[in-house]
mmCIF file of all heavy atoms in Angstrom:
data_model
loop_
_atom_site.group_PDB
_atom_site.id
_atom_site.type_symbol
_atom_site.label_atom_id
_atom_site.label_comp_id
_atom_site.label_asym_id
_atom_site.label_seq_id
_atom_site.Cartn_x
_atom_site.Cartn_y
_atom_site.Cartn_z
ATOM 1 N N GLN H 141 92.401 109.122 115.481
ATOM 2 C CA GLN H 141 92.358 107.961 116.425
ATOM 3 C C GLN H 141 91.670 106.756 115.792
ATOM 4 O O GLN H 141 92.073 105.620 115.970
ATOM 5 C CB GLN H 141 91.681 108.334 117.719
ATOM 6 C CG GLN H 141 92.416 109.449 118.488
ATOM 7 C CD GLN H 141 93.879 109.003 118.811
ATOM 8 O OE1 GLN H 141 94.143 107.972 119.451
ATOM 9 N NE2 GLN H 141 94.844 109.816 118.367
ATOM 10 N N ASP H 142 90.656 107.004 114.994
ATOM 11 C CA ASP H 142 89.960 105.915 114.263
ATOM 12 C C ASP H 142 90.929 105.264 113.294
ATOM 13 O O ASP H 142 90.938 104.010 113.104
ATOM 14 C CB ASP H 142 88.773 106.424 113.509
ATOM 15 C CG ASP H 142 87.596 106.817 114.430
ATOM 16 O OD1 ASP H 142 87.673 106.479 115.660
ATOM 17 O OD2 ASP H 142 86.624 107.450 113.999
ATOM 18 N N ILE H 143 91.761 106.063 112.635
ATOM 19 C CA ILE H 143 92.734 105.579 111.652
ATOM 20 C C ILE H 143 93.735 104.654 112.372
ATOM 21 O O ILE H 143 94.101 103.569 111.862
ATOM 22 C CB ILE H 143 93.439 106.703 110.884
ATOM 23 C CG1 ILE H 143 92.435 107.385 109.946
ATOM 24 C CG2 ILE H 143 94.680 106.233 110.163
ATOM 25 C CD1 ILE H 143 92.965 108.671 109.398
ATOM 26 N N LEU H 144 94.236 105.135 113.502
ATOM 27 C CA LEU H 144 95.268 104.328 114.256
ATOM 28 C C LEU H 144 94.720 102.960 114.635
ATOM 29 O O LEU H 144 95.432 101.989 114.674
ATOM 30 C CB LEU H 144 95.703 105.054 115.491
ATOM 31 C CG LEU H 144 96.647 106.278 115.223
ATOM 32 C CD1 LEU H 144 96.870 107.042 116.526
ATOM 33 C CD2 LEU H 144 97.984 105.809 114.658
ATOM 34 N N GLU H 145 93.400 102.871 114.933
ATOM 35 C CA GLU H 145 92.762 101.624 115.285
ATOM 36 C C GLU H 145 92.491 100.802 114.014
ATOM 37 O O GLU H 145 92.750 99.570 113.947
ATOM 38 C CB GLU H 145 91.480 101.856 116.061
ATOM 39 C CG GLU H 145 91.686 102.345 117.490
ATOM 40 C CD GLU H 145 92.572 101.360 118.294
ATOM 41 O OE1 GLU H 145 92.289 100.134 118.232
ATOM 42 O OE2 GLU H 145 93.509 101.839 118.939
ATOM 43 N N ARG H 146 92.006 101.454 113.006
ATOM 44 C CA ARG H 146 91.634 100.726 111.760
ATOM 45 C C ARG H 146 92.856 100.092 111.085
ATOM 46 O O ARG H 146 92.738 99.023 110.566
ATOM 47 C CB ARG H 146 90.911 101.708 110.801
ATOM 48 C CG ARG H 146 90.578 101.109 109.494
ATOM 49 C CD ARG H 146 89.823 102.096 108.607
ATOM 50 N NE ARG H 146 89.497 101.556 107.333
ATOM 51 C CZ ARG H 146 88.857 102.175 106.369
ATOM 52 N NH1 ARG H 146 88.397 103.373 106.608
ATOM 53 N NH2 ARG H 146 88.582 101.583 105.231
ATOM 54 N N VAL H 147 93.984 100.769 111.095
ATOM 55 C CA VAL H 147 95.129 100.272 110.401
ATOM 56 C C VAL H 147 95.665 98.994 110.980
ATOM 57 O O VAL H 147 96.337 98.207 110.276
ATOM 58 C CB VAL H 147 96.250 101.359 110.320
ATOM 59 C CG1 VAL H 147 96.935 101.552 111.647
ATOM 60 C CG2 VAL H 147 97.269 101.082 109.253
ATOM 61 N N LYS H 148 95.314 98.765 112.214
ATOM 62 C CA LYS H 148 95.798 97.512 112.867
ATOM 63 C C LYS H 148 95.075 96.259 112.255
ATOM 64 O O LYS H 148 95.623 95.139 112.378
ATOM 65 C CB LYS H 148 95.488 97.567 114.376
ATOM 66 C CG LYS H 148 96.301 98.680 115.108
ATOM 67 C CD LYS H 148 95.954 98.738 116.554
ATOM 68 C CE LYS H 148 96.695 99.894 117.289
ATOM 69 N NZ LYS H 148 96.229 100.048 118.697
ATOM 70 N N THR H 149 93.903 96.457 111.735
ATOM 71 C CA THR H 149 93.117 95.275 111.208
ATOM 72 C C THR H 149 92.878 95.370 109.719
ATOM 73 O O THR H 149 92.204 94.534 109.160
ATOM 74 C CB THR H 149 91.794 95.215 111.961
ATOM 75 O OG1 THR H 149 91.041 96.473 111.796
ATOM 76 C CG2 THR H 149 92.005 94.916 113.421
ATOM 77 N N SER H 150 93.338 96.441 109.063
ATOM 78 C CA SER H 150 93.137 96.576 107.596
ATOM 79 C C SER H 150 93.957 95.528 106.878
ATOM 80 O O SER H 150 94.949 94.983 107.401
ATOM 81 C CB SER H 150 93.529 97.976 107.178
ATOM 82 O OG SER H 150 92.661 98.968 107.672
ATOM 83 N N ILE H 151 93.520 95.252 105.665
ATOM 84 C CA ILE H 151 94.269 94.209 104.819
ATOM 85 C C ILE H 151 95.034 94.919 103.683
ATOM 86 O O ILE H 151 95.867 94.258 103.032
ATOM 87 C CB ILE H 151 93.304 93.202 104.255
ATOM 88 C CG1 ILE H 151 92.215 93.907 103.382
ATOM 89 C CG2 ILE H 151 92.642 92.432 105.351
ATOM 90 C CD1 ILE H 151 91.360 92.936 102.603
ATOM 91 N N ALA H 152 94.836 96.221 103.438
ATOM 92 C CA ALA H 152 95.545 96.910 102.414
ATOM 93 C C ALA H 152 95.613 98.404 102.667
ATOM 94 O O ALA H 152 94.806 98.959 103.413
ATOM 95 C CB ALA H 152 94.879 96.642 101.044
ATOM 96 N N ALA H 153 96.652 99.051 102.077
ATOM 97 C CA ALA H 153 96.790 100.493 102.189
ATOM 98 C C ALA H 153 97.544 100.967 100.977
ATOM 99 O O ALA H 153 98.378 100.235 100.454
ATOM 100 C CB ALA H 153 97.491 100.913 103.479
ATOM 101 N N ALA H 154 97.221 102.176 100.567
ATOM 102 C CA ALA H 154 98.006 102.800 99.489
ATOM 103 C C ALA H 154 99.429 103.125 100.033
ATOM 104 O O ALA H 154 99.539 103.410 101.215
ATOM 105 C CB ALA H 154 97.360 104.004 98.947
ATOM 106 N N PRO H 155 100.455 103.188 99.177
ATOM 107 C CA PRO H 155 101.772 103.572 99.646
ATOM 108 C C PRO H 155 101.733 105.031 100.226
ATOM 109 O O PRO H 155 101.238 105.906 99.529
ATOM 110 C CB PRO H 155 102.639 103.472 98.432
ATOM 111 C CG PRO H 155 101.961 102.518 97.532
ATOM 112 C CD PRO H 155 100.471 102.724 97.790
ATOM 113 N N CYS H 156 102.225 105.190 101.443
ATOM 114 C CA CYS H 156 102.158 106.517 102.151
ATOM 115 C C CYS H 156 103.549 106.991 102.525
ATOM 116 O O CYS H 156 104.370 106.141 102.988
ATOM 117 C CB CYS H 156 101.254 106.443 103.382
ATOM 118 S SG CYS H 156 99.556 106.004 103.103
ATOM 119 N N PHE H 157 103.806 108.230 102.476
ATOM 120 C CA PHE H 157 104.980 108.875 102.963
ATOM 121 C C PHE H 157 104.603 109.863 104.018
ATOM 122 O O PHE H 157 103.983 110.897 103.745
ATOM 123 C CB PHE H 157 105.786 109.525 101.848
ATOM 124 C CG PHE H 157 107.081 110.103 102.207
ATOM 125 C CD1 PHE H 157 107.751 109.758 103.406
ATOM 126 C CD2 PHE H 157 107.795 111.019 101.371
ATOM 127 C CE1 PHE H 157 108.985 110.217 103.780
ATOM 128 C CE2 PHE H 157 109.032 111.536 101.723
ATOM 129 C CZ PHE H 157 109.622 111.164 102.926
ATOM 130 N N ILE H 158 104.958 109.554 105.297
ATOM 131 C CA ILE H 158 104.681 110.502 106.386
ATOM 132 C C ILE H 158 105.865 111.372 106.559
ATOM 133 O O ILE H 158 106.949 110.884 106.862
ATOM 134 C CB ILE H 158 104.360 109.686 107.682
ATOM 135 C CG1 ILE H 158 103.168 108.745 107.488
ATOM 136 C CG2 ILE H 158 104.153 110.638 108.863
ATOM 137 C CD1 ILE H 158 102.862 107.929 108.682
ATOM 138 N N ILE H 159 105.691 112.684 106.437
ATOM 139 C CA ILE H 159 106.745 113.642 106.523
ATOM 140 C C ILE H 159 106.434 114.538 107.747
ATOM 141 O O ILE H 159 105.446 115.247 107.797
ATOM 142 C CB ILE H 159 106.810 114.475 105.276
ATOM 143 C CG1 ILE H 159 106.977 113.599 104.047
ATOM 144 C CG2 ILE H 159 107.972 115.520 105.355
ATOM 145 C CD1 ILE H 159 106.787 114.334 102.713
ATOM 146 N N GLY H 160 107.379 114.484 108.728
ATOM 147 C CA GLY H 160 107.194 115.284 109.964
ATOM 148 C C GLY H 160 108.342 116.199 110.196
ATOM 149 O O GLY H 160 109.233 116.359 109.336
#
Side-chain angles (χ1 to χ4, degrees):
Q141 295 303 304
D142 289 348
I143 289 168
L144 286 172
E145 287 303 312
R146 178 178 178 179
V147 74
K148 295 175 183 177
T149 56
S150 293
I151 59 173
C156 299
F157 185 15
I158 300 176
I159 305 169

